[in-house]
């Protein structure tokens, strides 16, 4: 699954909603190696697993609304102001490194879709009192921590004029296949 995620991130496999002629992914950060997969494998080395079902890696997507990246031209997908992209990338990477100083495997920026976004791989390893790395996704990604991450990301981007979405929003999650189905139907 990590290899498949890395292949998607690096656009080694077709991505239906991405512009095939769009810019390639920009690898901004790798813990080690040449791909997100290699970086995640590096962080997994020596980390203890509780059992076969232990979460090895978390995929995270960071972005901001189109109104930040292309003010007044929100409906023009794929159009971005380079200075705003650079400022957001620097701020988002700094925030991610603060959140996961020993867990962030990769940070890759995609500009080949409707909106700029960064794709991160985070290995949920936590150092025990004995100094041993143990995989513990719940320690880093429980419900309360996820709320804190959303709020903290918004606070980190506030100097750019970006604010957090509404806490407790009743927006419903769509499965990726469902979402792509709606996108394809709209294109037709």
């Amino acid at each position: 699954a990590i290899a498949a995620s890395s292949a998607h991130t690096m656009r080694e496999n077709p991505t239906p909603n991405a512009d095939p002629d769009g810019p390639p992914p920009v690898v901004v950060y790798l813990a080690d190696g040449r791909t997100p997969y290699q970086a995640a494998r590096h962080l997994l080395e020596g980390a203890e697993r509780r059992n076969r079902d232990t979460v090895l890696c978390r995929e995270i997507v960071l972005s901001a609304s189109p109104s930040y990246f292309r003010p007044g031209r929100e409906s023009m997908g794929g159009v971005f102001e380079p200075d705003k992209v650079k400022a957001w990338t620097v701020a988002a990477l700094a925030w991610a490194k603060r959140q996961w100083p020993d867990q962030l495997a990769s940070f890759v920026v995609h500009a080949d879709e409707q909106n700029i976004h960064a794709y991160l791989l985070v290995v949920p390893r936590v150092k025990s009192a004995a100094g041993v790395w143990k995989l513990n996704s719940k320690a880093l990604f429980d419900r309360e921590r996820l709320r804190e991450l959303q709020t903290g990301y918004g606070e980190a981007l506030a100097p750019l004029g970006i604010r957090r979405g509404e806490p407790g929003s009743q927006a419903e999650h769509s499965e990726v296949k469902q979402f792509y189905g709606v996108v394809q139907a709209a294109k037709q």
Side-chain angles (χ1 to χ4, degrees), residues 42-75:
H42 171 74
L43 293 181
L44 284 165
E45 286 176 18
E48 291 181 7
R49 297 168 67 164
R50 267 196 312 264
N51 57 45
R52 287 184 31 177
D53 296 328
T54 299
V55 173
L56 302 179
C57 195
R58 289 284 184 179
E59 300 169 304
I60 297 169
V61 177
L62 299 178
S63 191
S65 67
S67 62
Y68 169 74
F69 292 115
R70 52 181 178 270
R73 299 174 290 163
E74 291 81 0
S75 64

PDB file of all heavy atoms in Angstrom, residues 42-75:
ATOM      1  N   HIS A  42      12.603   3.755   5.200  1.00  0.00           N
ATOM      2  CA  HIS A  42      13.726   4.161   6.054  1.00  0.00           C
ATOM      3  C   HIS A  42      13.251   4.420   7.492  1.00  0.00           C
ATOM      4  O   HIS A  42      13.883   3.967   8.455  1.00  0.00           O
ATOM      5  CB  HIS A  42      14.392   5.414   5.479  1.00  0.00           C
ATOM      6  CG  HIS A  42      15.401   6.040   6.379  1.00  0.00           C
ATOM      7  ND1 HIS A  42      16.651   5.502   6.600  1.00  0.00           N
ATOM      8  CD2 HIS A  42      15.332   7.155   7.143  1.00  0.00           C
ATOM      9  CE1 HIS A  42      17.311   6.257   7.447  1.00  0.00           C
ATOM     10  NE2 HIS A  42      16.526   7.264   7.798  1.00  0.00           N
ATOM     11  N   LEU A  43      12.140   5.137   7.632  1.00  0.00           N
ATOM     12  CA  LEU A  43      11.631   5.438   8.977  1.00  0.00           C
ATOM     13  C   LEU A  43      11.045   4.203   9.660  1.00  0.00           C
ATOM     14  O   LEU A  43      10.979   4.146  10.888  1.00  0.00           O
ATOM     15  CB  LEU A  43      10.579   6.546   8.912  1.00  0.00           C
ATOM     16  CG  LEU A  43      11.095   7.922   8.488  1.00  0.00           C
ATOM     17  CD1 LEU A  43       9.958   8.932   8.492  1.00  0.00           C
ATOM     18  CD2 LEU A  43      12.231   8.398   9.370  1.00  0.00           C
ATOM     19  N   LEU A  44      10.621   3.233   8.876  1.00  0.00           N
ATOM     20  CA  LEU A  44      10.070   1.999   9.450  1.00  0.00           C
ATOM     21  C   LEU A  44      11.158   1.045   9.951  1.00  0.00           C
ATOM     22  O   LEU A  44      10.872   0.175  10.775  1.00  0.00           O
ATOM     23  CB  LEU A  44       9.201   1.275   8.423  1.00  0.00           C
ATOM     24  CG  LEU A  44       7.823   1.882   8.191  1.00  0.00           C
ATOM     25  CD1 LEU A  44       7.203   1.333   6.924  1.00  0.00           C
ATOM     26  CD2 LEU A  44       6.922   1.639   9.392  1.00  0.00           C
ATOM     27  N   GLU A  45      12.383   1.214   9.470  1.00  0.00           N
ATOM     28  CA  GLU A  45      13.470   0.309   9.857  1.00  0.00           C
ATOM     29  C   GLU A  45      13.642   0.305  11.377  1.00  0.00           C
ATOM     30  O   GLU A  45      13.814   1.350  11.993  1.00  0.00           O
ATOM     31  CB  GLU A  45      14.784   0.725   9.200  1.00  0.00           C
ATOM     32  CG  GLU A  45      14.844   0.413   7.733  1.00  0.00           C
ATOM     33  CD  GLU A  45      16.124   0.912   7.075  1.00  0.00           C
ATOM     34  OE1 GLU A  45      17.110   1.192   7.789  1.00  0.00           O
ATOM     35  OE2 GLU A  45      16.116   1.032   5.835  1.00  0.00           O
ATOM     36  N   GLY A  46      13.569  -0.879  11.962  1.00  0.00           N
ATOM     37  CA  GLY A  46      13.776  -1.034  13.399  1.00  0.00           C
ATOM     38  C   GLY A  46      12.596  -0.669  14.272  1.00  0.00           C
ATOM     39  O   GLY A  46      12.653  -0.838  15.486  1.00  0.00           O
ATOM     40  N   ALA A  47      11.522  -0.144  13.695  1.00  0.00           N
ATOM     41  CA  ALA A  47      10.341   0.208  14.499  1.00  0.00           C
ATOM     42  C   ALA A  47       9.549  -1.058  14.816  1.00  0.00           C
ATOM     43  O   ALA A  47       9.287  -1.873  13.937  1.00  0.00           O
ATOM     44  CB  ALA A  47       9.467   1.208  13.757  1.00  0.00           C
ATOM     45  N   GLU A  48       9.174  -1.210  16.072  1.00  0.00           N
ATOM     46  CA  GLU A  48       8.434  -2.397  16.509  1.00  0.00           C
ATOM     47  C   GLU A  48       6.953  -2.273  16.172  1.00  0.00           C
ATOM     48  O   GLU A  48       6.362  -1.218  16.354  1.00  0.00           O
ATOM     49  CB  GLU A  48       8.585  -2.591  18.022  1.00  0.00           C
ATOM     50  CG  GLU A  48       9.974  -2.981  18.455  1.00  0.00           C
ATOM     51  CD  GLU A  48      10.070  -3.195  19.966  1.00  0.00           C
ATOM     52  OE1 GLU A  48       9.019  -3.174  20.664  1.00  0.00           O
ATOM     53  OE2 GLU A  48      11.203  -3.361  20.442  1.00  0.00           O
ATOM     54  N   ARG A  49       6.376  -3.379  15.706  1.00  0.00           N
ATOM     55  CA  ARG A  49       4.950  -3.463  15.429  1.00  0.00           C
ATOM     56  C   ARG A  49       4.290  -4.299  16.511  1.00  0.00           C
ATOM     57  O   ARG A  49       4.845  -5.285  16.959  1.00  0.00           O
ATOM     58  CB  ARG A  49       4.713  -4.160  14.092  1.00  0.00           C
ATOM     59  CG  ARG A  49       5.270  -3.446  12.915  1.00  0.00           C
ATOM     60  CD  ARG A  49       5.264  -4.308  11.688  1.00  0.00           C
ATOM     61  NE  ARG A  49       3.915  -4.611  11.221  1.00  0.00           N
ATOM     62  CZ  ARG A  49       3.645  -5.088  10.024  1.00  0.00           C
ATOM     63  NH1 ARG A  49       4.616  -5.320   9.173  1.00  0.00           N
ATOM     64  NH2 ARG A  49       2.413  -5.355   9.669  1.00  0.00           N
ATOM     65  N   ARG A  50       3.079  -3.892  16.913  1.00  0.00           N
ATOM     66  CA  ARG A  50       2.342  -4.686  17.904  1.00  0.00           C
ATOM     67  C   ARG A  50       1.843  -5.987  17.298  1.00  0.00           C
ATOM     68  O   ARG A  50       1.873  -7.025  17.926  1.00  0.00           O
ATOM     69  CB  ARG A  50       1.146  -3.889  18.424  1.00  0.00           C
ATOM     70  CG  ARG A  50       1.445  -3.107  19.669  1.00  0.00           C
ATOM     71  CD  ARG A  50       0.173  -2.654  20.359  1.00  0.00           C
ATOM     72  NE  ARG A  50      -0.789  -2.042  19.467  1.00  0.00           N
ATOM     73  CZ  ARG A  50      -0.923  -0.737  19.279  1.00  0.00           C
ATOM     74  NH1 ARG A  50      -0.162   0.090  19.919  1.00  0.00           N
ATOM     75  NH2 ARG A  50      -1.823  -0.266  18.456  1.00  0.00           N
ATOM     76  N   ASN A  51       1.330  -5.899  16.059  1.00  0.00           N
ATOM     77  CA  ASN A  51       0.784  -7.079  15.391  1.00  0.00           C
ATOM     78  C   ASN A  51       0.719  -6.818  13.890  1.00  0.00           C
ATOM     79  O   ASN A  51       1.145  -5.762  13.428  1.00  0.00           O
ATOM     80  CB  ASN A  51      -0.593  -7.445  15.961  1.00  0.00           C
ATOM     81  CG  ASN A  51      -1.578  -6.305  15.863  1.00  0.00           C
ATOM     82  OD1 ASN A  51      -1.683  -5.641  14.829  1.00  0.00           O
ATOM     83  ND2 ASN A  51      -2.318  -6.050  16.937  1.00  0.00           N
ATOM     84  N   ARG A  52       0.156  -7.754  13.160  1.00  0.00           N
ATOM     85  CA  ARG A  52       0.084  -7.616  11.703  1.00  0.00           C
ATOM     86  C   ARG A  52      -0.789  -6.456  11.254  1.00  0.00           C
ATOM     87  O   ARG A  52      -0.638  -5.953  10.146  1.00  0.00           O
ATOM     88  CB  ARG A  52      -0.496  -8.899  11.094  1.00  0.00           C
ATOM     89  CG  ARG A  52       0.411 -10.067  11.102  1.00  0.00           C
ATOM     90  CD  ARG A  52      -0.236 -11.212  10.386  1.00  0.00           C
ATOM     91  NE  ARG A  52      -1.114 -10.658   9.330  1.00  0.00           N
ATOM     92  CZ  ARG A  52      -1.799 -11.349   8.460  1.00  0.00           C
ATOM     93  NH1 ARG A  52      -1.763 -12.639   8.494  1.00  0.00           N
ATOM     94  NH2 ARG A  52      -2.557 -10.777   7.549  1.00  0.00           N
ATOM     95  N   ASP A  53      -1.735  -6.036  12.087  1.00  0.00           N
ATOM     96  CA  ASP A  53      -2.661  -4.972  11.715  1.00  0.00           C
ATOM     97  C   ASP A  53      -2.174  -3.578  12.092  1.00  0.00           C
ATOM     98  O   ASP A  53      -2.905  -2.597  11.911  1.00  0.00           O
ATOM     99  CB  ASP A  53      -4.026  -5.219  12.361  1.00  0.00           C
ATOM    100  CG  ASP A  53      -4.669  -6.493  11.855  1.00  0.00           C
ATOM    101  OD1 ASP A  53      -4.431  -6.847  10.676  1.00  0.00           O
ATOM    102  OD2 ASP A  53      -5.390  -7.145  12.628  1.00  0.00           O
ATOM    103  N   THR A  54      -0.971  -3.471  12.607  1.00  0.00           N
ATOM    104  CA  THR A  54      -0.432  -2.183  13.005  1.00  0.00           C
ATOM    105  C   THR A  54      -0.343  -1.252  11.794  1.00  0.00           C
ATOM    106  O   THR A  54       0.114  -1.654  10.728  1.00  0.00           O
ATOM    107  CB  THR A  54       0.971  -2.358  13.625  1.00  0.00           C
ATOM    108  OG1 THR A  54       0.860  -3.173  14.788  1.00  0.00           O
ATOM    109  CG2 THR A  54       1.584  -1.027  14.011  1.00  0.00           C
ATOM    110  N   VAL A  55      -0.782  -0.005  11.963  1.00  0.00           N
ATOM    111  CA  VAL A  55      -0.707   0.989  10.886  1.00  0.00           C
ATOM    112  C   VAL A  55       0.755   1.360  10.674  1.00  0.00           C
ATOM    113  O   VAL A  55       1.448   1.760  11.613  1.00  0.00           O
ATOM    114  CB  VAL A  55      -1.540   2.247  11.243  1.00  0.00           C
ATOM    115  CG1 VAL A  55      -1.337   3.345  10.216  1.00  0.00           C
ATOM    116  CG2 VAL A  55      -3.008   1.886  11.393  1.00  0.00           C
ATOM    117  N   LEU A  56       1.208   1.216   9.426  1.00  0.00           N
ATOM    118  CA  LEU A  56       2.603   1.508   9.099  1.00  0.00           C
ATOM    119  C   LEU A  56       2.816   2.949   8.654  1.00  0.00           C
ATOM    120  O   LEU A  56       3.899   3.506   8.839  1.00  0.00           O
ATOM    121  CB  LEU A  56       3.088   0.577   7.983  1.00  0.00           C
ATOM    122  CG  LEU A  56       3.008  -0.921   8.256  1.00  0.00           C
ATOM    123  CD1 LEU A  56       3.502  -1.693   7.040  1.00  0.00           C
ATOM    124  CD2 LEU A  56       3.812  -1.285   9.493  1.00  0.00           C
ATOM    125  N   CYS A  57       1.800   3.529   8.059  1.00  0.00           N
ATOM    126  CA  CYS A  57       1.978   4.851   7.481  1.00  0.00           C
ATOM    127  C   CYS A  57       0.624   5.537   7.339  1.00  0.00           C
ATOM    128  O   CYS A  57      -0.389   4.873   7.131  1.00  0.00           O
ATOM    129  CB  CYS A  57       2.646   4.682   6.116  1.00  0.00           C
ATOM    130  SG  CYS A  57       3.333   6.173   5.436  1.00  0.00           S
ATOM    131  N   ARG A  58       0.626   6.851   7.442  1.00  0.00           N
ATOM    132  CA  ARG A  58      -0.577   7.654   7.228  1.00  0.00           C
ATOM    133  C   ARG A  58      -0.343   8.565   6.030  1.00  0.00           C
ATOM    134  O   ARG A  58       0.721   9.149   5.896  1.00  0.00           O
ATOM    135  CB  ARG A  58      -0.887   8.534   8.447  1.00  0.00           C
ATOM    136  CG  ARG A  58      -1.383   7.779   9.641  1.00  0.00           C
ATOM    137  CD  ARG A  58      -2.805   7.374   9.440  1.00  0.00           C
ATOM    138  NE  ARG A  58      -3.316   6.729  10.624  1.00  0.00           N
ATOM    139  CZ  ARG A  58      -4.539   6.295  10.731  1.00  0.00           C
ATOM    140  NH1 ARG A  58      -5.393   6.431   9.755  1.00  0.00           N
ATOM    141  NH2 ARG A  58      -4.938   5.703  11.826  1.00  0.00           N
ATOM    142  N   GLU A  59      -1.349   8.661   5.183  1.00  0.00           N
ATOM    143  CA  GLU A  59      -1.312   9.589   4.060  1.00  0.00           C
ATOM    144  C   GLU A  59      -2.078  10.844   4.476  1.00  0.00           C
ATOM    145  O   GLU A  59      -3.178  10.749   5.011  1.00  0.00           O
ATOM    146  CB  GLU A  59      -1.995   8.999   2.842  1.00  0.00           C
ATOM    147  CG  GLU A  59      -1.368   7.728   2.344  1.00  0.00           C
ATOM    148  CD  GLU A  59      -2.222   7.032   1.304  1.00  0.00           C
ATOM    149  OE1 GLU A  59      -3.399   6.751   1.606  1.00  0.00           O
ATOM    150  OE2 GLU A  59      -1.692   6.800   0.209  1.00  0.00           O
ATOM    151  N   ILE A  60      -1.494  11.999   4.204  1.00  0.00           N
ATOM    152  CA  ILE A  60      -2.111  13.264   4.589  1.00  0.00           C
ATOM    153  C   ILE A  60      -2.058  14.198   3.388  1.00  0.00           C
ATOM    154  O   ILE A  60      -1.043  14.276   2.698  1.00  0.00           O
ATOM    155  CB  ILE A  60      -1.370  13.881   5.792  1.00  0.00           C
ATOM    156  CG1 ILE A  60      -1.508  12.935   6.990  1.00  0.00           C
ATOM    157  CG2 ILE A  60      -1.879  15.275   6.106  1.00  0.00           C
ATOM    158  CD1 ILE A  60      -0.632  13.269   8.152  1.00  0.00           C
ATOM    159  N   VAL A  61      -3.146  14.907   3.149  1.00  0.00           N
ATOM    160  CA  VAL A  61      -3.178  15.903   2.087  1.00  0.00           C
ATOM    161  C   VAL A  61      -3.378  17.270   2.736  1.00  0.00           C
ATOM    162  O   VAL A  61      -4.273  17.453   3.554  1.00  0.00           O
ATOM    163  CB  VAL A  61      -4.318  15.618   1.083  1.00  0.00           C
ATOM    164  CG1 VAL A  61      -4.387  16.717   0.021  1.00  0.00           C
ATOM    165  CG2 VAL A  61      -4.123  14.264   0.428  1.00  0.00           C
ATOM    166  N   LEU A  62      -2.529  18.214   2.351  1.00  0.00           N
ATOM    167  CA  LEU A  62      -2.640  19.590   2.828  1.00  0.00           C
ATOM    168  C   LEU A  62      -2.909  20.497   1.640  1.00  0.00           C
ATOM    169  O   LEU A  62      -2.348  20.293   0.562  1.00  0.00           O
ATOM    170  CB  LEU A  62      -1.341  20.045   3.499  1.00  0.00           C
ATOM    171  CG  LEU A  62      -0.866  19.281   4.727  1.00  0.00           C
ATOM    172  CD1 LEU A  62       0.473  19.862   5.204  1.00  0.00           C
ATOM    173  CD2 LEU A  62      -1.895  19.336   5.836  1.00  0.00           C
ATOM    174  N   SER A  63      -3.751  21.492   1.838  1.00  0.00           N
ATOM    175  CA  SER A  63      -4.031  22.443   0.779  1.00  0.00           C
ATOM    176  C   SER A  63      -4.603  23.719   1.385  1.00  0.00           C
ATOM    177  O   SER A  63      -4.588  23.901   2.605  1.00  0.00           O
ATOM    178  CB  SER A  63      -4.998  21.853  -0.247  1.00  0.00           C
ATOM    179  OG  SER A  63      -5.046  22.688  -1.382  1.00  0.00           O
ATOM    180  N   ALA A  64      -5.095  24.571   0.526  1.00  0.00           N
ATOM    181  CA  ALA A  64      -5.818  25.777   0.916  1.00  0.00           C
ATOM    182  C   ALA A  64      -6.831  26.030  -0.193  1.00  0.00           C
ATOM    183  O   ALA A  64      -6.757  25.410  -1.260  1.00  0.00           O
ATOM    184  CB  ALA A  64      -4.864  26.963   1.064  1.00  0.00           C
ATOM    185  N   SER A  65      -7.737  26.925   0.032  1.00  0.00           N
ATOM    186  CA  SER A  65      -8.787  27.144  -0.963  1.00  0.00           C
ATOM    187  C   SER A  65      -8.218  27.829  -2.211  1.00  0.00           C
ATOM    188  O   SER A  65      -7.205  28.535  -2.142  1.00  0.00           O
ATOM    189  CB  SER A  65      -9.909  27.982  -0.371  1.00  0.00           C
ATOM    190  OG  SER A  65      -9.432  29.283  -0.098  1.00  0.00           O
ATOM    191  N   PRO A  66      -8.884  27.619  -3.349  1.00  0.00           N
ATOM    192  CA  PRO A  66      -8.440  28.269  -4.586  1.00  0.00           C
ATOM    193  C   PRO A  66      -8.364  29.793  -4.470  1.00  0.00           C
ATOM    194  O   PRO A  66      -7.563  30.424  -5.143  1.00  0.00           O
ATOM    195  CB  PRO A  66      -9.504  27.850  -5.611  1.00  0.00           C
ATOM    196  CG  PRO A  66     -10.086  26.602  -5.068  1.00  0.00           C
ATOM    197  CD  PRO A  66     -10.026  26.742  -3.573  1.00  0.00           C
ATOM    198  N   SER A  67      -9.183  30.384  -3.604  1.00  0.00           N
ATOM    199  CA  SER A  67      -9.166  31.846  -3.467  1.00  0.00           C
ATOM    200  C   SER A  67      -7.825  32.352  -2.935  1.00  0.00           C
ATOM    201  O   SER A  67      -7.471  33.505  -3.160  1.00  0.00           O
ATOM    202  CB  SER A  67     -10.309  32.323  -2.571  1.00  0.00           C
ATOM    203  OG  SER A  67     -10.170  31.783  -1.272  1.00  0.00           O
ATOM    204  N   TYR A  68      -7.076  31.501  -2.255  1.00  0.00           N
ATOM    205  CA  TYR A  68      -5.731  31.903  -1.824  1.00  0.00           C
ATOM    206  C   TYR A  68      -4.764  31.822  -3.005  1.00  0.00           C
ATOM    207  O   TYR A  68      -4.000  32.747  -3.269  1.00  0.00           O
ATOM    208  CB  TYR A  68      -5.211  31.029  -0.673  1.00  0.00           C
ATOM    209  CG  TYR A  68      -3.742  31.288  -0.429  1.00  0.00           C
ATOM    210  CD1 TYR A  68      -3.324  32.461   0.185  1.00  0.00           C
ATOM    211  CD2 TYR A  68      -2.772  30.397  -0.864  1.00  0.00           C
ATOM    212  CE1 TYR A  68      -1.976  32.741   0.357  1.00  0.00           C
ATOM    213  CE2 TYR A  68      -1.421  30.659  -0.693  1.00  0.00           C
ATOM    214  CZ  TYR A  68      -1.027  31.835  -0.085  1.00  0.00           C
ATOM    215  OH  TYR A  68       0.306  32.109   0.072  1.00  0.00           O
ATOM    216  N   PHE A  69      -4.770  30.704  -3.714  1.00  0.00           N
ATOM    217  CA  PHE A  69      -3.792  30.468  -4.775  1.00  0.00           C
ATOM    218  C   PHE A  69      -4.046  31.290  -6.042  1.00  0.00           C
ATOM    219  O   PHE A  69      -3.133  31.560  -6.804  1.00  0.00           O
ATOM    220  CB  PHE A  69      -3.755  28.979  -5.148  1.00  0.00           C
ATOM    221  CG  PHE A  69      -3.205  28.114  -4.051  1.00  0.00           C
ATOM    222  CD1 PHE A  69      -4.008  27.181  -3.430  1.00  0.00           C
ATOM    223  CD2 PHE A  69      -1.886  28.229  -3.639  1.00  0.00           C
ATOM    224  CE1 PHE A  69      -3.499  26.370  -2.414  1.00  0.00           C
ATOM    225  CE2 PHE A  69      -1.372  27.427  -2.633  1.00  0.00           C
ATOM    226  CZ  PHE A  69      -2.184  26.492  -2.016  1.00  0.00           C
ATOM    227  N   ARG A  70      -5.319  31.681  -6.288  1.00  0.00           N
ATOM    228  CA  ARG A  70      -5.665  32.465  -7.485  1.00  0.00           C
ATOM    229  C   ARG A  70      -6.854  33.385  -7.176  1.00  0.00           C
ATOM    230  O   ARG A  70      -7.966  33.171  -7.665  1.00  0.00           O
ATOM    231  CB  ARG A  70      -5.946  31.562  -8.671  1.00  0.00           C
ATOM    232  CG  ARG A  70      -6.963  30.470  -8.414  1.00  0.00           C
ATOM    233  CD  ARG A  70      -7.184  29.593  -9.648  1.00  0.00           C
ATOM    234  NE  ARG A  70      -8.116  28.540  -9.366  1.00  0.00           N
ATOM    235  CZ  ARG A  70      -7.764  27.338  -8.899  1.00  0.00           C
ATOM    236  NH1 ARG A  70      -6.507  27.067  -8.682  1.00  0.00           N
ATOM    237  NH2 ARG A  70      -8.681  26.422  -8.665  1.00  0.00           N
ATOM    238  N   PRO A  71      -6.615  34.425  -6.375  1.00  0.00           N
ATOM    239  CA  PRO A  71      -7.709  35.311  -5.979  1.00  0.00           C
ATOM    240  C   PRO A  71      -8.425  35.915  -7.194  1.00  0.00           C
ATOM    241  O   PRO A  71      -7.796  36.376  -8.133  1.00  0.00           O
ATOM    242  CB  PRO A  71      -7.032  36.401  -5.142  1.00  0.00           C
ATOM    243  CG  PRO A  71      -5.574  36.167  -5.230  1.00  0.00           C
ATOM    244  CD  PRO A  71      -5.330  34.861  -5.882  1.00  0.00           C
ATOM    245  N   GLY A  72      -9.753  35.844  -7.155  1.00  0.00           N
ATOM    246  CA  GLY A  72     -10.572  36.379  -8.230  1.00  0.00           C
ATOM    247  C   GLY A  72     -10.679  35.474  -9.437  1.00  0.00           C
ATOM    248  O   GLY A  72     -11.401  35.786 -10.374  1.00  0.00           O
ATOM    249  N   ARG A  73      -9.935  34.379  -9.427  1.00  0.00           N
ATOM    250  CA  ARG A  73      -9.966  33.442 -10.558  1.00  0.00           C
ATOM    251  C   ARG A  73     -10.196  32.018 -10.040  1.00  0.00           C
ATOM    252  O   ARG A  73      -9.661  31.061 -10.583  1.00  0.00           O
ATOM    253  CB  ARG A  73      -8.653  33.510 -11.334  1.00  0.00           C
ATOM    254  CG  ARG A  73      -8.390  34.887 -11.924  1.00  0.00           C
ATOM    255  CD  ARG A  73      -7.028  34.974 -12.562  1.00  0.00           C
ATOM    256  NE  ARG A  73      -6.038  34.940 -11.498  1.00  0.00           N
ATOM    257  CZ  ARG A  73      -4.756  34.677 -11.675  1.00  0.00           C
ATOM    258  NH1 ARG A  73      -4.291  34.401 -12.860  1.00  0.00           N
ATOM    259  NH2 ARG A  73      -3.920  34.667 -10.668  1.00  0.00           N
ATOM    260  N   GLU A  74     -10.995  31.889  -9.006  1.00  0.00           N
ATOM    261  CA  GLU A  74     -11.194  30.594  -8.349  1.00  0.00           C
ATOM    262  C   GLU A  74     -11.655  29.494  -9.294  1.00  0.00           C
ATOM    263  O   GLU A  74     -11.301  28.332  -9.115  1.00  0.00           O
ATOM    264  CB  GLU A  74     -12.191  30.727  -7.185  1.00  0.00           C
ATOM    265  CG  GLU A  74     -11.668  31.515  -6.026  1.00  0.00           C
ATOM    266  CD  GLU A  74     -11.759  33.031  -6.184  1.00  0.00           C
ATOM    267  OE1 GLU A  74     -12.244  33.512  -7.218  1.00  0.00           O
ATOM    268  OE2 GLU A  74     -11.329  33.731  -5.268  1.00  0.00           O
ATOM    269  N   SER A  75     -12.444  29.833 -10.290  1.00  0.00           N
ATOM    270  CA  SER A  75     -12.977  28.810 -11.188  1.00  0.00           C
ATOM    271  C   SER A  75     -11.980  28.374 -12.260  1.00  0.00           C
ATOM    272  O   SER A  75     -12.250  27.447 -13.018  1.00  0.00           O
ATOM    273  CB  SER A  75     -14.259  29.311 -11.860  1.00  0.00           C
ATOM    274  OG  SER A  75     -13.962  30.428 -12.679  1.00  0.00           O
TER     275      SER A  75
END
